[in-house]
Amino acid sequence: MDNCKLCAKEVLTLVRSHLIPRSAYKHLGEPNETPIVFDSNTKDAFYSSKQFVCNLLCNECEDLFSKKGESQMGRLWKTESGFPLLDMLRDIPTLIPDAYNGDNLPESVRSTLIYFGISILWRANVWPKDEIGNYRSSLGVYQKNFEDFLLGVDNLKNVKVIIEINPSGQNRVHKLISLPRVRKIKNSRQHDFFILGLHFYFIIGGTNEIYNNCFKHSNSKLMLFFTDSKNKLLAIADIIQNRVIPRGNLRKDYPHISSQKK
């Protein structure tokens, strides 16, 4: 018998859960193309088809994550057939050029984006393996609030969300996945990850003056921005606000990037 990591219910067998939704992998590369994975903690970027899985949830909680997050995200993120969330934004007013108040999106879309993002961070926080570097246990005192939110018994406390949208069709940046990472920014912590054209940022705790002014201006806890990067690896570096280290065959494909590493 095992206990579900979310609801703590004792079950005979836990479901084999994916850290990154299984439905996303089919969009991460062409039939003969290997996805790029970025480890935000080590700053390594590499080609990999590996899927991160472990026994984590009971059937009910796995179904909850699917219905409230993953299945709905499949109708929002970027694929070869289109970018539905991008199309929605074109129909709503901007706060400033290329910036949007998330409250102007349909409530079902807002809740899906936030629920999905929180579920990814929570999974990485409790992940029992060493595959995700030092992100584990990074939620600290907020872990219980995240769990109550995911179970539908409480609202999020002191969490603000920014989503950057990369609409470029000229490169494979939208086919990148990055594992969650956390950075301390003054008296708050910024948690982020990237998947299929969407870069999720969750600012947890107190926020600095720049964040406070942005969210005060929008009067919302969710904001969305455009970012249209041109060069694949440089775009990854820009996305994480740091330089990446290409590994393996990715290093061979981009020697000019590798040669700049000190």
Side-chain angles (χ1 to χ4, degrees), residues 147-186:
E147 291 170 347
D148 289 342
F149 169 76
L150 292 170
L151 290 169
V153 298
D154 198 3
N155 296 320
L156 286 175
K157 303 291 197 311
N158 212 10
V159 176
K160 295 179 175 65
V161 186
I162 294 173
I163 301 176
E164 285 185 352
I165 299 173
N166 188 312
S168 177
Q170 306 304 315
N171 54 62
R172 289 178 58 199
V173 173
H174 67 278
K175 295 178 180 178
L176 164 78
I177 58 173
S178 70
L179 303 180
R181 68 162 180 173
V182 59
R183 295 187 304 160
K184 187 175 182 179
I185 302 178
K186 292 192 175 181

mmCIF file of all heavy atoms in Angstrom, residues 147-186:
data_model
loop_
_atom_site.group_PDB
_atom_site.id
_atom_site.type_symbol
_atom_site.label_atom_id
_atom_site.label_comp_id
_atom_site.label_asym_id
_atom_site.label_seq_id
_atom_site.Cartn_x
_atom_site.Cartn_y
_atom_site.Cartn_z
ATOM 1 N N GLU A 147 -1.314 22.482 -2.281
ATOM 2 C CA GLU A 147 -2.058 21.224 -2.241
ATOM 3 C C GLU A 147 -3.546 21.461 -2.031
ATOM 4 O O GLU A 147 -4.393 20.845 -2.699
ATOM 5 C CB GLU A 147 -1.478 20.332 -1.139
ATOM 6 C CG GLU A 147 -0.088 19.820 -1.482
ATOM 7 C CD GLU A 147 0.611 19.131 -0.325
ATOM 8 O OE1 GLU A 147 0.134 19.263 0.831
ATOM 9 O OE2 GLU A 147 1.639 18.480 -0.564
ATOM 10 N N ASP A 148 -3.890 22.364 -1.129
ATOM 11 C CA ASP A 148 -5.301 22.674 -0.894
ATOM 12 C C ASP A 148 -5.940 23.299 -2.141
ATOM 13 O O ASP A 148 -7.094 23.006 -2.471
ATOM 14 C CB ASP A 148 -5.446 23.633 0.292
ATOM 15 C CG ASP A 148 -5.134 22.964 1.614
ATOM 16 O OD1 ASP A 148 -5.142 21.720 1.671
ATOM 17 O OD2 ASP A 148 -4.877 23.689 2.602
ATOM 18 N N PHE A 149 -5.183 24.144 -2.840
ATOM 19 C CA PHE A 149 -5.688 24.730 -4.078
ATOM 20 C C PHE A 149 -5.933 23.656 -5.131
ATOM 21 O O PHE A 149 -6.984 23.628 -5.794
ATOM 22 C CB PHE A 149 -4.701 25.766 -4.602
ATOM 23 C CG PHE A 149 -4.996 26.233 -6.011
ATOM 24 C CD1 PHE A 149 -6.026 27.125 -6.259
ATOM 25 C CD2 PHE A 149 -4.247 25.761 -7.092
ATOM 26 C CE1 PHE A 149 -6.309 27.548 -7.554
ATOM 27 C CE2 PHE A 149 -4.515 26.174 -8.381
ATOM 28 C CZ PHE A 149 -5.560 27.074 -8.615
ATOM 29 N N LEU A 150 -4.990 22.751 -5.303
ATOM 30 C CA LEU A 150 -5.127 21.696 -6.314
ATOM 31 C C LEU A 150 -6.283 20.756 -5.992
ATOM 32 O O LEU A 150 -6.942 20.241 -6.897
ATOM 33 C CB LEU A 150 -3.820 20.903 -6.424
ATOM 34 C CG LEU A 150 -2.638 21.679 -7.015
ATOM 35 C CD1 LEU A 150 -1.336 20.896 -6.847
ATOM 36 C CD2 LEU A 150 -2.873 21.990 -8.495
ATOM 37 N N LEU A 151 -6.549 20.566 -4.711
ATOM 38 C CA LEU A 151 -7.672 19.717 -4.297
ATOM 39 C C LEU A 151 -8.996 20.465 -4.294
ATOM 40 O O LEU A 151 -10.051 19.864 -4.086
ATOM 41 C CB LEU A 151 -7.403 19.139 -2.903
ATOM 42 C CG LEU A 151 -6.297 18.078 -2.816
ATOM 43 C CD1 LEU A 151 -5.945 17.795 -1.368
ATOM 44 C CD2 LEU A 151 -6.728 16.798 -3.532
ATOM 45 N N GLY A 152 -8.945 21.777 -4.504
ATOM 46 C CA GLY A 152 -10.168 22.568 -4.589
ATOM 47 C C GLY A 152 -10.756 22.969 -3.261
ATOM 48 O O GLY A 152 -11.944 23.307 -3.184
ATOM 49 N N VAL A 153 -9.939 22.987 -2.196
ATOM 50 C CA VAL A 153 -10.477 23.316 -0.871
ATOM 51 C C VAL A 153 -10.000 24.681 -0.375
ATOM 52 O O VAL A 153 -10.374 25.114 0.721
ATOM 53 C CB VAL A 153 -10.103 22.228 0.170
ATOM 54 C CG1 VAL A 153 -10.713 20.899 -0.229
ATOM 55 C CG2 VAL A 153 -8.584 22.115 0.336
ATOM 56 N N ASP A 154 -9.158 25.391 -1.173
ATOM 57 C CA ASP A 154 -8.696 26.714 -0.754
ATOM 58 C C ASP A 154 -8.219 27.490 -1.977
ATOM 59 O O ASP A 154 -7.937 26.906 -3.039
ATOM 60 C CB ASP A 154 -7.543 26.586 0.250
ATOM 61 C CG ASP A 154 -7.315 27.870 1.052
ATOM 62 O OD1 ASP A 154 -8.093 28.834 0.863
ATOM 63 O OD2 ASP A 154 -6.364 27.905 1.843
ATOM 64 N N ASN A 155 -8.144 28.814 -1.826
ATOM 65 C CA ASN A 155 -7.598 29.664 -2.876
ATOM 66 C C ASN A 155 -6.095 29.828 -2.690
ATOM 67 O O ASN A 155 -5.561 29.604 -1.599
ATOM 68 C CB ASN A 155 -8.262 31.044 -2.833
ATOM 69 C CG ASN A 155 -9.748 30.978 -3.132
ATOM 70 O OD1 ASN A 155 -10.183 30.239 -4.007
ATOM 71 N ND2 ASN A 155 -10.528 31.753 -2.384
ATOM 72 N N LEU A 156 -5.408 30.246 -3.756
ATOM 73 C CA LEU A 156 -3.982 30.515 -3.654
ATOM 74 C C LEU A 156 -3.747 31.725 -2.778
ATOM 75 O O LEU A 156 -4.500 32.703 -2.819
ATOM 76 C CB LEU A 156 -3.380 30.753 -5.040
ATOM 77 C CG LEU A 156 -3.200 29.522 -5.936
ATOM 78 C CD1 LEU A 156 -2.702 29.959 -7.304
ATOM 79 C CD2 LEU A 156 -2.229 28.521 -5.312
ATOM 80 N N LYS A 157 -2.696 31.688 -1.980
ATOM 81 C CA LYS A 157 -2.348 32.792 -1.101
ATOM 82 C C LYS A 157 -1.039 33.441 -1.577
ATOM 83 O O LYS A 157 -0.020 32.775 -1.712
ATOM 84 C CB LYS A 157 -2.178 32.295 0.336
ATOM 85 C CG LYS A 157 -3.405 31.584 0.914
ATOM 86 C CD LYS A 157 -4.555 32.539 1.147
ATOM 87 C CE LYS A 157 -5.622 31.967 2.075
ATOM 88 N NZ LYS A 157 -6.078 30.626 1.745
ATOM 89 N N ASN A 158 -1.079 34.748 -1.817
ATOM 90 C CA ASN A 158 0.134 35.510 -2.089
ATOM 91 C C ASN A 158 0.907 34.983 -3.302
ATOM 92 O O ASN A 158 2.131 34.846 -3.263
ATOM 93 C CB ASN A 158 1.040 35.516 -0.855
ATOM 94 C CG ASN A 158 1.837 36.802 -0.738
ATOM 95 O OD1 ASN A 158 1.595 37.766 -1.465
ATOM 96 N ND2 ASN A 158 2.794 36.817 0.164
ATOM 97 N N VAL A 159 0.170 34.682 -4.363
ATOM 98 C CA VAL A 159 0.780 34.175 -5.595
ATOM 99 C C VAL A 159 0.316 35.042 -6.772
ATOM 100 O O VAL A 159 -0.878 35.289 -6.936
ATOM 101 C CB VAL A 159 0.381 32.705 -5.862
ATOM 102 C CG1 VAL A 159 0.949 32.233 -7.200
ATOM 103 C CG2 VAL A 159 0.875 31.807 -4.736
ATOM 104 N N LYS A 160 1.261 35.507 -7.564
ATOM 105 C CA LYS A 160 0.952 36.260 -8.786
ATOM 106 C C LYS A 160 1.573 35.529 -9.967
ATOM 107 O O LYS A 160 2.621 34.883 -9.830
ATOM 108 C CB LYS A 160 1.468 37.691 -8.682
ATOM 109 C CG LYS A 160 0.771 38.501 -7.593
ATOM 110 C CD LYS A 160 1.328 39.909 -7.514
ATOM 111 C CE LYS A 160 0.543 40.760 -6.509
ATOM 112 N NZ LYS A 160 0.691 40.249 -5.132
ATOM 113 N N VAL A 161 0.943 35.646 -11.144
ATOM 114 C CA VAL A 161 1.329 34.832 -12.297
ATOM 115 C C VAL A 161 1.603 35.708 -13.514
ATOM 116 O O VAL A 161 0.811 36.597 -13.847
ATOM 117 C CB VAL A 161 0.214 33.817 -12.647
ATOM 118 C CG1 VAL A 161 0.691 32.870 -13.749
ATOM 119 C CG2 VAL A 161 -0.219 33.032 -11.414
ATOM 120 N N ILE A 162 2.727 35.449 -14.164
ATOM 121 C CA ILE A 162 3.057 36.075 -15.438
ATOM 122 C C ILE A 162 3.288 34.961 -16.447
ATOM 123 O O ILE A 162 3.977 33.980 -16.146
ATOM 124 C CB ILE A 162 4.326 36.944 -15.338
ATOM 125 C CG1 ILE A 162 4.093 38.139 -14.416
ATOM 126 C CG2 ILE A 162 4.768 37.426 -16.716
ATOM 127 C CD1 ILE A 162 5.343 38.949 -14.139
ATOM 128 N N ILE A 163 2.719 35.107 -17.637
ATOM 129 C CA ILE A 163 2.956 34.130 -18.702
ATOM 130 C C ILE A 163 3.486 34.864 -19.923
ATOM 131 O O ILE A 163 2.825 35.767 -20.447
ATOM 132 C CB ILE A 163 1.678 33.352 -19.072
ATOM 133 C CG1 ILE A 163 1.146 32.607 -17.841
ATOM 134 C CG2 ILE A 163 1.962 32.368 -20.211
ATOM 135 C CD1 ILE A 163 -0.166 31.886 -18.082
ATOM 136 N N GLU A 164 4.688 34.500 -20.369
ATOM 137 C CA GLU A 164 5.241 35.022 -21.607
ATOM 138 C C GLU A 164 4.871 34.075 -22.735
ATOM 139 O O GLU A 164 4.957 32.860 -22.586
ATOM 140 C CB GLU A 164 6.765 35.144 -21.515
ATOM 141 C CG GLU A 164 7.248 36.308 -20.690
ATOM 142 C CD GLU A 164 8.747 36.460 -20.736
ATOM 143 O OE1 GLU A 164 9.428 35.574 -21.284
ATOM 144 O OE2 GLU A 164 9.235 37.466 -20.215
ATOM 145 N N ILE A 165 4.455 34.641 -23.855
ATOM 146 C CA ILE A 165 4.001 33.845 -24.993
ATOM 147 C C ILE A 165 4.951 34.058 -26.155
ATOM 148 O O ILE A 165 5.196 35.180 -26.580
ATOM 149 C CB ILE A 165 2.570 34.249 -25.393
ATOM 150 C CG1 ILE A 165 1.633 33.997 -24.210
ATOM 151 C CG2 ILE A 165 2.112 33.484 -26.623
ATOM 152 C CD1 ILE A 165 0.246 34.514 -24.417
ATOM 153 N N ASN A 166 5.529 32.968 -26.654
ATOM 154 C CA ASN A 166 6.450 33.034 -27.780
ATOM 155 C C ASN A 166 5.739 32.529 -29.020
ATOM 156 O O ASN A 166 5.592 31.326 -29.215
ATOM 157 C CB ASN A 166 7.699 32.190 -27.503
ATOM 158 C CG ASN A 166 8.756 32.387 -28.565
ATOM 159 O OD1 ASN A 166 8.451 32.324 -29.749
ATOM 160 N ND2 ASN A 166 9.990 32.607 -28.152
ATOM 161 N N PRO A 167 5.284 33.428 -29.896
ATOM 162 C CA PRO A 167 4.500 33.002 -31.068
ATOM 163 C C PRO A 167 5.329 32.660 -32.288
ATOM 164 O O PRO A 167 4.788 32.352 -33.337
ATOM 165 C CB PRO A 167 3.640 34.239 -31.345
ATOM 166 C CG PRO A 167 4.523 35.377 -30.943
ATOM 167 C CD PRO A 167 5.331 34.891 -29.765
ATOM 168 N N SER A 168 6.674 32.714 -32.185
ATOM 169 C CA SER A 168 7.530 32.560 -33.362
ATOM 170 C C SER A 168 7.362 31.192 -34.008
ATOM 171 O O SER A 168 7.362 30.166 -33.336
ATOM 172 C CB SER A 168 8.997 32.760 -32.994
ATOM 173 O OG SER A 168 9.812 32.533 -34.114
ATOM 174 N N GLY A 169 7.243 31.174 -35.320
ATOM 175 C CA GLY A 169 7.215 29.926 -36.068
ATOM 176 C C GLY A 169 8.496 29.705 -36.825
ATOM 177 O O GLY A 169 8.598 28.800 -37.643
ATOM 178 N N GLN A 170 9.523 30.547 -36.560
ATOM 179 C CA GLN A 170 10.764 30.485 -37.312
ATOM 180 C C GLN A 170 11.815 29.600 -36.656
ATOM 181 O O GLN A 170 12.890 29.425 -37.191
ATOM 182 C CB GLN A 170 11.342 31.911 -37.467
ATOM 183 C CG GLN A 170 10.360 32.900 -38.064
ATOM 184 C CD GLN A 170 9.826 32.448 -39.408
ATOM 185 O OE1 GLN A 170 10.602 32.002 -40.249
ATOM 186 N NE2 GLN A 170 8.519 32.539 -39.599
ATOM 187 N N ASN A 171 11.545 29.054 -35.507
ATOM 188 C CA ASN A 171 12.542 28.244 -34.822
ATOM 189 C C ASN A 171 11.833 27.188 -33.986
ATOM 190 O O ASN A 171 10.625 27.054 -34.033
ATOM 191 C CB ASN A 171 13.430 29.129 -33.943
ATOM 192 C CG ASN A 171 12.583 29.968 -32.989
ATOM 193 O OD1 ASN A 171 11.888 29.414 -32.154
ATOM 194 N ND2 ASN A 171 12.629 31.287 -33.139
ATOM 195 N N ARG A 172 12.623 26.441 -33.213
ATOM 196 C CA ARG A 172 12.064 25.361 -32.403
ATOM 197 C C ARG A 172 11.896 25.752 -30.939
ATOM 198 O O ARG A 172 11.703 24.907 -30.093
ATOM 199 C CB ARG A 172 12.960 24.126 -32.504
ATOM 200 C CG ARG A 172 12.909 23.441 -33.861
ATOM 201 C CD ARG A 172 13.856 22.255 -33.891
ATOM 202 N NE ARG A 172 13.501 21.312 -32.844
ATOM 203 C CZ ARG A 172 14.350 20.379 -32.388
ATOM 204 N NH1 ARG A 172 15.565 20.316 -32.853
ATOM 205 N NH2 ARG A 172 13.973 19.546 -31.434
ATOM 206 N N VAL A 173 11.973 27.043 -30.653
ATOM 207 C CA VAL A 173 11.845 27.458 -29.262
ATOM 208 C C VAL A 173 10.509 27.020 -28.676
ATOM 209 O O VAL A 173 10.416 26.623 -27.520
ATOM 210 C CB VAL A 173 12.024 28.985 -29.130
ATOM 211 C CG1 VAL A 173 11.711 29.445 -27.716
ATOM 212 C CG2 VAL A 173 13.443 29.364 -29.501
ATOM 213 N N HIS A 174 9.455 27.070 -29.492
ATOM 214 C CA HIS A 174 8.152 26.676 -28.970
ATOM 215 C C HIS A 174 8.080 25.172 -28.734
ATOM 216 O O HIS A 174 7.113 24.687 -28.166
ATOM 217 C CB HIS A 174 7.037 27.119 -29.924
ATOM 218 C CG HIS A 174 7.025 26.419 -31.235
ATOM 219 N ND1 HIS A 174 7.842 26.797 -32.278
ATOM 220 C CD2 HIS A 174 6.315 25.351 -31.678
ATOM 221 C CE1 HIS A 174 7.617 25.991 -33.321
ATOM 222 N NE2 HIS A 174 6.691 25.124 -32.974
ATOM 223 N N LYS A 175 9.110 24.425 -29.170
ATOM 224 C CA LYS A 175 9.149 22.978 -28.929
ATOM 225 C C LYS A 175 10.129 22.629 -27.818
ATOM 226 O O LYS A 175 10.590 21.508 -27.716
ATOM 227 C CB LYS A 175 9.523 22.250 -30.224
ATOM 228 C CG LYS A 175 8.459 22.408 -31.302
ATOM 229 C CD LYS A 175 8.873 21.716 -32.566
ATOM 230 C CE LYS A 175 7.794 21.900 -33.634
ATOM 231 N NZ LYS A 175 8.178 21.289 -34.907
ATOM 232 N N LEU A 176 10.439 23.592 -27.013
ATOM 233 C CA LEU A 176 11.328 23.417 -25.875
ATOM 234 C C LEU A 176 10.526 23.139 -24.616
ATOM 235 O O LEU A 176 9.434 23.660 -24.434
ATOM 236 C CB LEU A 176 12.153 24.686 -25.680
ATOM 237 C CG LEU A 176 12.869 24.878 -24.338
ATOM 238 C CD1 LEU A 176 14.125 24.018 -24.297
ATOM 239 C CD2 LEU A 176 13.216 26.348 -24.142
ATOM 240 N N ILE A 177 11.079 22.287 -23.736
ATOM 241 C CA ILE A 177 10.549 22.190 -22.385
ATOM 242 C C ILE A 177 11.687 22.506 -21.420
ATOM 243 O O ILE A 177 12.845 22.178 -21.680
ATOM 244 C CB ILE A 177 9.957 20.801 -22.057
ATOM 245 C CG1 ILE A 177 11.001 19.694 -22.231
ATOM 246 C CG2 ILE A 177 8.728 20.516 -22.886
ATOM 247 C CD1 ILE A 177 10.522 18.334 -21.763
ATOM 248 N N SER A 178 11.377 23.200 -20.353
ATOM 249 C CA SER A 178 12.368 23.433 -19.308
ATOM 250 C C SER A 178 11.799 22.939 -17.995
ATOM 251 O O SER A 178 10.598 23.076 -17.732
ATOM 252 C CB SER A 178 12.738 24.915 -19.208
ATOM 253 O OG SER A 178 11.674 25.674 -18.687
ATOM 254 N N LEU A 179 12.653 22.345 -17.184
ATOM 255 C CA LEU A 179 12.227 21.862 -15.884
ATOM 256 C C LEU A 179 12.087 23.046 -14.925
ATOM 257 O O LEU A 179 12.788 24.050 -15.055
ATOM 258 C CB LEU A 179 13.251 20.862 -15.347
ATOM 259 C CG LEU A 179 13.525 19.661 -16.255
ATOM 260 C CD1 LEU A 179 14.558 18.745 -15.607
ATOM 261 C CD2 LEU A 179 12.243 18.894 -16.555
ATOM 262 N N PRO A 180 11.177 22.954 -13.958
ATOM 263 C CA PRO A 180 10.970 24.081 -13.040
ATOM 264 C C PRO A 180 12.235 24.460 -12.286
ATOM 265 O O PRO A 180 13.063 23.617 -11.944
ATOM 266 C CB PRO A 180 9.899 23.544 -12.081
ATOM 267 C CG PRO A 180 9.149 22.539 -12.883
ATOM 268 C CD PRO A 180 10.192 21.877 -13.736
ATOM 269 N N ARG A 181 12.366 25.749 -12.026
ATOM 270 C CA ARG A 181 13.467 26.263 -11.205
ATOM 271 C C ARG A 181 12.902 27.341 -10.294
ATOM 272 O O ARG A 181 11.785 27.836 -10.483
ATOM 273 C CB ARG A 181 14.576 26.848 -12.073
ATOM 274 C CG ARG A 181 14.142 28.114 -12.775
ATOM 275 C CD ARG A 181 15.319 28.925 -13.260
ATOM 276 N NE ARG A 181 14.844 30.139 -13.927
ATOM 277 C CZ ARG A 181 15.635 31.114 -14.339
ATOM 278 N NH1 ARG A 181 16.933 31.020 -14.163
ATOM 279 N NH2 ARG A 181 15.132 32.175 -14.941
ATOM 280 N N VAL A 182 13.697 27.747 -9.319
ATOM 281 C CA VAL A 182 13.291 28.804 -8.402
ATOM 282 C C VAL A 182 14.465 29.757 -8.214
ATOM 283 O O VAL A 182 15.621 29.346 -8.152
ATOM 284 C CB VAL A 182 12.830 28.226 -7.042
ATOM 285 C CG1 VAL A 182 13.935 27.416 -6.373
ATOM 286 C CG2 VAL A 182 12.330 29.326 -6.125
ATOM 287 N N ARG A 183 14.156 31.054 -8.159
ATOM 288 C CA ARG A 183 15.157 32.085 -7.894
ATOM 289 C C ARG A 183 14.608 33.045 -6.852
ATOM 290 O O ARG A 183 13.417 33.362 -6.860
ATOM 291 C CB ARG A 183 15.493 32.864 -9.168
ATOM 292 C CG ARG A 183 16.165 32.055 -10.232
ATOM 293 C CD ARG A 183 16.612 32.944 -11.366
ATOM 294 N NE ARG A 183 15.506 33.707 -11.920
ATOM 295 C CZ ARG A 183 15.655 34.818 -12.647
ATOM 296 N NH1 ARG A 183 16.855 35.308 -12.863
ATOM 297 N NH2 ARG A 183 14.600 35.441 -13.160
ATOM 298 N N LYS A 184 15.474 33.513 -5.986
ATOM 299 C CA LYS A 184 15.069 34.496 -4.986
ATOM 300 C C LYS A 184 15.212 35.885 -5.584
ATOM 301 O O LYS A 184 16.248 36.236 -6.137
ATOM 302 C CB LYS A 184 15.926 34.376 -3.732
ATOM 303 C CG LYS A 184 15.439 35.268 -2.594
ATOM 304 C CD LYS A 184 16.232 35.027 -1.326
ATOM 305 C CE LYS A 184 15.696 35.897 -0.190
ATOM 306 N NZ LYS A 184 16.447 35.667 1.076
ATOM 307 N N ILE A 185 14.145 36.662 -5.518
ATOM 308 C CA ILE A 185 14.148 38.043 -6.000
ATOM 309 C C ILE A 185 13.671 38.926 -4.858
ATOM 310 O O ILE A 185 12.476 38.984 -4.557
ATOM 311 C CB ILE A 185 13.249 38.219 -7.232
ATOM 312 C CG1 ILE A 185 13.704 37.284 -8.360
ATOM 313 C CG2 ILE A 185 13.236 39.660 -7.692
ATOM 314 C CD1 ILE A 185 12.848 37.361 -9.592
ATOM 315 N N LYS A 186 14.643 39.572 -4.210
ATOM 316 C CA LYS A 186 14.364 40.375 -3.020
ATOM 317 C C LYS A 186 13.601 39.525 -2.003
ATOM 318 O O LYS A 186 14.065 38.481 -1.598
ATOM 319 C CB LYS A 186 13.633 41.656 -3.398
ATOM 320 C CG LYS A 186 14.522 42.614 -4.202
ATOM 321 C CD LYS A 186 13.910 43.982 -4.330
ATOM 322 C CE LYS A 186 14.897 44.922 -5.045
ATOM 323 N NZ LYS A 186 14.350 46.289 -5.184
#
